[in-house]
């Protein structure tokens, strides 16, 4: 079958199954099974696409308030000017072509007994299985004086790609020559562990070209961070790290980097040891699962516990929580992780519909960071489930970070791998 | 675009592939652990859905010969190739798992995507390919007993050739002699010509290729 014919066939099959008018296999057993997916990010889109790919008889509905997905991954490149926000934005029409029904709305509740997702618009969607992948929300209370409104208007977190990313970019451009950029990095766990350091690097890259006397300070709530050795190697090579003229400075929690309070008017951050004042301030607050996870009673503490073999909530059966919102130790909160988890959940959902046991899961994470021009680094892991402890364990002897002091040619290639990874991950989510 | 390629002999390999494609995915895997399909699904973040990459420096692996796949993954696992993220990932898999994944990819239809290429170089590349490469990389380098070249991304092909030429990847038998001969004939242009030729085929070739059934790209140009 050609691609076109296949598409048309799938769409017809899905449509017919949903309407219950034709004798497709699912209808022999009753109505088509319905899966409602909450959140059209990496986890949600991948799940919706693969549900339809692996079982075209399923009626899949995806609920997201946006008409398009704007990826956080690669959004640090908007800050250096290497790419536009538009290049990160992908309409959900791509998923429609897979036969996914799109609903533009917020999910505000899930009724696990009636098996319904409730939206802000007042609609209820019946499900036989529900996938929840809402990403993160912020713990605003962690830094006194900082709140959602200040973030929107003056001191962006830019941890969701969108208007705040552009606000931060504009502030960098408007910053005086020799200005000071302060980035506040959160405690673990949070979305994209290497992200704040890639961000510092991309801002340094911008400054190097346009404001060479500027300075970037990272105030950290931690004493160590992801790919630290490689970042510092890159910073030494590219930005004079460790010298008096370094473009980047990192202040660990122990050295006084943990921040407790913000004065938004003077852009002053109060640390334990001293205060820091910035011309541009970017606060990445500590995080927790997205709001709907709390509203639907899927959390314990800040995150959603799941059976790691299936990603089914351990609080409400039939609901599968993926991506950043789940507690999926030892996987990081990354796009690749969400993509990998979605396929495990999809296989488990389909197995359940067929009264089969779920297969053994397997997971991969890879994450690239672009430290500067022609300087990319990466981390990778392949995991398997330890079902005794319900933990996702890296397979011994595999994975790890890029070699230290690699040749310039390897570092340059990792940048092109990062960009290719971006295209493939988006493609696998929705194309 | 799908047409039987009558020039390709019906080898045992293809029969096996066909058999595998018709089996449920679970049958390709070993008795325990994740299925070949589950293992292969995790590759999509870098190699595209079912192995058809849209990222210019990542190779397409759909339709790849199972033996070529396993050999490549073993070479990565043993650090015999220029260190990329693949070396670190390959170390996680047993021979049986690699085999299970290889059958999955072999039974996938290769989709290739148009890319920019230098038409003059590509034209030069056709002749070089015929003279030096076609014997092993049959049918213009479509998926077969040797690595897929037709429709492969140009940046990926460039990286690969750089690695061969810089001694960072072992030459397969006879390949060095053939490449040396191509360089003797066309000098500095040899590699760019070949690479552009293979890359150029994405606009005309391979959209219907699958190793599984011996159905191959539409070669009419
Ligand atoms: C600056 C930055 C750089 C990053 N770089 C990388 C990288 O290089 N590699 C990598 O692997 N990861 C990276 N990440 C992490 C990656 O973005 C996340 O881990 C990934 O997006 C998680 O997917 P998700 O599905 O859990 O959530 P998201 O992708 O955040 O999607 C959540 C979706 O849910 C929707 N939603 C939320 N609440 C509701 C509701 N109540 N109803 C309906 N819809 C709702 C939102 O609109 C959104 O579309 C980066 C993140 C940042 C911030």
């Amino acid at each position: 079958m050609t691609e076109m014919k296949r598409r048309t066939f799938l769409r017809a099959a899905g449509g017919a199954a949903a309407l219950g008018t034709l004798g497709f296999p699912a209808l022999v057993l009753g109505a088509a099974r319905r899966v409602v997916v909450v959140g059209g990010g990496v986890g949600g889109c991948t799940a919706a696409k693969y549900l339809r790919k692996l079982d075209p008889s399923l009626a899949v509905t995806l609920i997201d308030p946006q008409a398009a997905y704007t990826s956080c991954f690669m959004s640090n490149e908007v800050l250096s000017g290497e790419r536009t926000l538009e290049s990160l934005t992908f309409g959900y029409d791509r998923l429609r072509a897979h036969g996914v029904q799109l609903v533009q709305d917020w999910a505000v509740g899930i009724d696990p007994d009636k098996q319904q997702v409730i939206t802000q618009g007042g609609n209820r969607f019946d499900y036989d299985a529900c996938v929840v992948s809402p990403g993160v929300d912020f713990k605003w209370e962690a830094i006194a004086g900082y709140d959602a409104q200040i973030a929107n208007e003056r001191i962006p977190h830019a941890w969701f790609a969108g208007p705040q990313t552009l606000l931060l970019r504009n502030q960098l451009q408007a910053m005086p020559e020799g200005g000071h950029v302060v980035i506040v990095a959160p405690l673990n766990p949070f979305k994209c562990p290497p992200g704040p350091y890639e961000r510092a690097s991309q801002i340094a890259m911008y400054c190097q070209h346009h404001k060479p006397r500027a300075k970037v300070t990272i105030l950290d709530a931690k004493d160590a961070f992801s790919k630290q050795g490689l970042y510092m190697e890159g910073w030494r090579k590219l930005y004079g790290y460790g010298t008096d003229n370094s473009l980047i400075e990192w202040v660990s929690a122990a050295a006084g980097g943990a921040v407790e309070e913000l004065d938004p008017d003077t852009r002053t951050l109060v640390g334990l040891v001293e205060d820091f004042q910035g011309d541009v301030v970017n606060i990445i607050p500590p995080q927790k699962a997205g709001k709907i996870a709390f509203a639907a009673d899927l959390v314990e503490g800040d995150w959603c516990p799941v059976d790691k073999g299936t990603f089914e909530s351990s609080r409400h059966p039939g609901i599968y929580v993926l991506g950043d919102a789940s507690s999926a130790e030892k996987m990081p909160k990354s796009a690749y992780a969400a993509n990998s988890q979605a396929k495990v959940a999809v296989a488990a959902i389909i197995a359940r519909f067929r009264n089969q046991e779920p297969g053994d899961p397997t997971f991969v994470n890879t994450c690239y960071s672009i430290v500067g021009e022609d300087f990319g680094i990466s981390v990778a892991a392949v995991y398997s489930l330890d079902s005794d402890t319900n933990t996702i364990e890296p397979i011994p002897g595999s994975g790890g970070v890029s070699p230290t002091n690699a040749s310039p040619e390897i570092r340059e290639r990792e940048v092109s791998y990062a960009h290719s990874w971006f295209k493939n991950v988006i493609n696998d989510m929705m194309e | 675009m799908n047409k039987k390629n009558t020039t390709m002999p019906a080898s045992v390999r293809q029969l096996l592939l066909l058999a595998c494609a018709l089996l449920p995915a679970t049958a390709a895997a070993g008795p325990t652990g994740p299925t070949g399909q589950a293992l292969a699904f995790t590759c999509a973040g870098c190699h595209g859905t079912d192995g058809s990459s849209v990222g210019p420096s990542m190779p397409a692996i759909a339709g790849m010969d199972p033996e070529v796949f396993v050999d490549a993954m073993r070479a990565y696992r043993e650090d015999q190739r220029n260190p990329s993220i693949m070396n670190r990932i390959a170390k996680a898999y047993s021979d049986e798992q690699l085999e299970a994944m290889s059958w999955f990819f072999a039974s996938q239809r290769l989709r290739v995507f148009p890319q920019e290429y230098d038409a003059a170089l590509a034209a030069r590349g056709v002749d070089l390919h015929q003279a030096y490469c076609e014997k092993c990389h049959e049918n213009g380098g479509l998926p077969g007993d040797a690595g897929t070249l037709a429709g492969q991304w140009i940046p990926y092909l460039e990286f690969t050739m750089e690695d061969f030429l810089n001694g960072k990847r072992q030459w397969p038998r006879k390949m060095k002699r053939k490449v040396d001969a191509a360089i003797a004939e066309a000098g500095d242009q040899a590699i760019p010509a070949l690479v552009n030729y293979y890359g150029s085929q994405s606009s005309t070739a391979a959209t219907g290729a699958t190793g599984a059934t011996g159905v191959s790209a539409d070669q009419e140009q």
Side-chain angles (χ1 to χ4, degrees):
Chain A
M1 234 184 281
T2 67
E3 187 64 7
M4 264 318 289
K5 278 191 195 138
R6 191 174 148 73
R7 283 244 173 94
T8 319
F9 171 76
L10 291 187
R11 214 177 294 146
L19 296 170
T21 53
L22 283 176
F24 279 86
L27 299 175
V28 179
L29 307 167
R33 305 278 195 164
R34 296 148 306 181
V35 186
V36 176
V37 181
V38 175
V42 183
C45 288
T46 309
K49 170 178 157 179
Y50 272 76
L51 281 161
R52 293 278 312 162
K53 174 174 155 67
L54 296 185
D55 187 347
S57 79
L58 297 176
V60 179
T61 303
L62 184 132
I63 303 174
D64 195 287
Q66 318 274 351
Y69 183 63
T70 305
S71 83
C72 293
F73 37 105
M74 291 295 154
S75 68
N76 286 326
E77 285 201 325
V78 175
L79 303 176
S80 61
E82 290 286 301
R83 79 163 63 230
T84 62
L85 201 60
E86 292 76 60
S87 77
L88 302 171
T89 305
F90 302 88
Y92 289 124
D93 275 347
R94 293 164 167 86
L95 281 175
R96 277 195 192 97
H98 288 280
V100 176
Q101 300 278 344
L102 273 303
V103 172
Q104 200 175 336
D105 206 345
W106 287 96
V108 290
I110 301 174
D111 183 332
D113 299 323
K114 290 196 187 134
Q115 300 197 315
Q116 287 180 330
V117 176
I118 303 135
T119 63
Q120 196 172 51
N123 291 313
R124 287 174 171 263
F125 295 87
D126 294 314
Y127 66 79
D128 297 296
C130 178
V131 174
V132 179
S133 193
V136 299
D137 190 13
F138 299 110
K139 294 164 87 166
W140 294 107
E141 68 283 1
I143 296 170
Y146 194 43
D147 61 31
Q149 192 185 350
I150 291 171
N152 274 329
E153 290 169 3
R154 285 190 278 168
I155 302 191
H157 55 71
W159 217 235
F160 300 141
Q164 288 196 19
T165 315
L166 296 179
L167 176 61
L168 183 54
R169 162 84 182 150
N170 292 340
Q171 289 179 346
L172 290 170
Q173 285 179 308
M175 179 176 76
E177 174 67 33
H180 187 200
V181 183
V182 181
I183 299 172
V184 176
L187 269 178
N188 294 326
F190 63 98
K191 150 156 115 169
C192 198
Y197 315 93
E198 185 192 58
R199 171 164 292 177
S201 310
Q202 288 284 320
I203 292 178
M205 182 172 158
Y206 167 78
C207 293
Q208 199 168 46
H209 290 149
H210 303 282
K211 324 233 155 153
R213 290 185 297 110
K215 203 175 137 157
V216 183
T217 302
I218 309 164
L219 300 178
D220 213 322
K222 307 177 291 299
D223 288 327
F225 61 89
S226 170
K227 302 184 220 173
Q228 183 167 341
L230 287 170
Y231 269 112
M232 289 184 168
E233 179 190 317
W235 293 346
R236 271 192 292 275
K237 288 198 170 125
L238 302 168
Y239 308 120
Y241 189 69
T243 68
D244 289 346
N245 293 326
S246 178
L247 245 165
I248 296 183
E249 194 188 343
W250 176 64
V251 186
S252 67
V259 163
E260 299 185 322
E261 197 182 329
L262 163 76
D263 178 346
D265 296 326
T266 59
R267 293 179 306 276
T268 303
L269 293 152
V270 181
L272 276 174
V273 184
E274 56 180 312
D275 293 354
F276 300 85
Q277 202 267 335
D279 298 292
V280 175
V281 174
N282 167 223
I283 301 181
I284 304 161
Q287 293 156 36
K288 59 185 178 186
K291 279 189 190 62
I292 183 67
F294 286 82
D297 183 40
L298 294 167
V299 291
E300 270 163 30
D302 290 332
W303 308 102
C304 305
V306 292
D307 173 340
K308 310 250 168 61
T310 59
F311 276 72
E312 185 170 13
S313 165
S314 44
R315 297 181 62 79
H316 293 292
I319 303 179
Y320 297 74
V321 189
L322 310 177
D324 294 346
S326 67
S327 46
E329 302 80 11
K330 302 172 177 170
M331 294 186 88
K333 298 190 185 303
S334 74
Y336 210 114
N339 175 267
S340 194
Q341 292 160 9
K343 292 166 194 173
V344 168
V346 162
I349 290 169
I350 290 176
R352 201 180 65 143
F353 286 163
R354 295 177 181 168
N355 291 317
Q356 293 166 349
E357 286 296 306
D360 288 331
T362 173
F363 304 94
V364 169
N365 178 58
T366 76
C367 179
Y368 290 94
S369 305
I370 302 176
V371 184
E373 242 160 295
D374 299 335
F375 200 104
I377 56 177
S378 61
V379 62
V382 182
Y383 309 82
S384 62
L385 173 69
D386 180 338
S387 42
D388 294 338
T389 57
N390 192 34
T391 43
I392 297 174
E393 297 285 349
I395 292 168
S398 72
V401 296
S402 313
T404 47
N405 293 311
S407 64
E409 156 239 338
I410 294 278
R411 296 287 188 244
E412 190 179 340
R413 277 191 197 182
E414 292 226 74
V415 173
S416 82
Y417 291 146
H419 291 143
S420 290
W421 166 85
F422 175 73
K423 290 192 164 163
N424 275 315
V425 125
I426 293 287
N427 175 265
D428 194 45
M429 275 168 67
M430 42 172 66
E431 298 284 348
Chain B
M1 298 288 273
N2 289 355
K3 262 192 192 168
K4 286 270 179 225
N5 185 329
T6 44
T7 60
M8 195 179 272
S11 66
V12 176
R13 180 180 70 87
Q14 283 157 350
L15 289 175
L16 280 173
L17 279 169
L18 178 59
C20 170
L22 298 173
L23 288 172
T26 44
T32 55
T35 61
Q37 175 180 277
L39 292 164
F41 273 178
T42 63
C43 309
C46 294
H47 292 280
T49 304
D50 299 337
S52 285
S53 173
V54 297
S57 50
M58 308 290 197
I61 55 178
M64 195 169 176
D65 182 274
E67 249 177 76
V68 177
F69 178 92
V70 172
D71 283 353
M73 288 294 280
R74 281 201 184 135
Y76 280 117
R77 197 169 66 188
E78 272 127 50
D79 292 318
Q80 287 166 3
R81 290 197 180 176
N82 207 8
S84 76
I85 206 163
M86 207 61 244
N87 302 40
R88 291 171 257 153
I89 292 172
K91 291 186 175 67
Y93 300 105
S94 66
D95 281 351
E96 292 71 37
Q97 290 179 322
L98 292 182
E99 190 140 327
M101 289 155 104
S102 78
W103 288 106
F104 175 85
F105 286 116
S107 60
Q108 299 309 307
R109 193 174 62 96
L110 173 66
R111 298 177 63 201
V112 294
F113 302 89
Q115 60 183 316
E116 276 175 29
Y117 62 90
D118 182 316
L121 278 173
R124 182 88 178 89
V126 186
D127 299 336
L128 290 170
H129 169 81
Q130 285 304 336
Y132 302 105
C133 315
E134 172 64 26
K135 240 182 160 170
C136 294
H137 294 280
E138 291 168 317
N139 299 311
L142 287 170
D145 300 340
T148 308
L149 302 178
Q152 199 64 273
W153 290 103
I154 288 174
Y156 163 72
L157 291 169
E158 285 171 346
F159 287 162
T160 308
M161 288 313 295
E162 247 173 65
D163 286 349
F164 280 127
L165 292 164
N166 295 335
K168 291 186 172 150
R169 179 165 164 180
Q170 250 184 347
W171 295 98
R173 221 164 58 86
K174 292 190 195 155
M175 183 170 158
K176 177 152 183 8
R177 245 190 309 135
K178 296 288 186 181
V179 170
D180 282 347
I183 293 172
E185 184 186 322
D188 284 352
Q189 278 213 335
I191 303 295
L194 284 165
V195 159
N196 275 274
Y197 163 59
Y198 298 127
S200 75
Q201 295 185 69
S202 49
S203 47
T204 47
T207 47
T210 152
T213 53
V215 175
S216 162
D218 201 350
Q219 284 284 291
E220 291 141 29
Q221 312 203 354

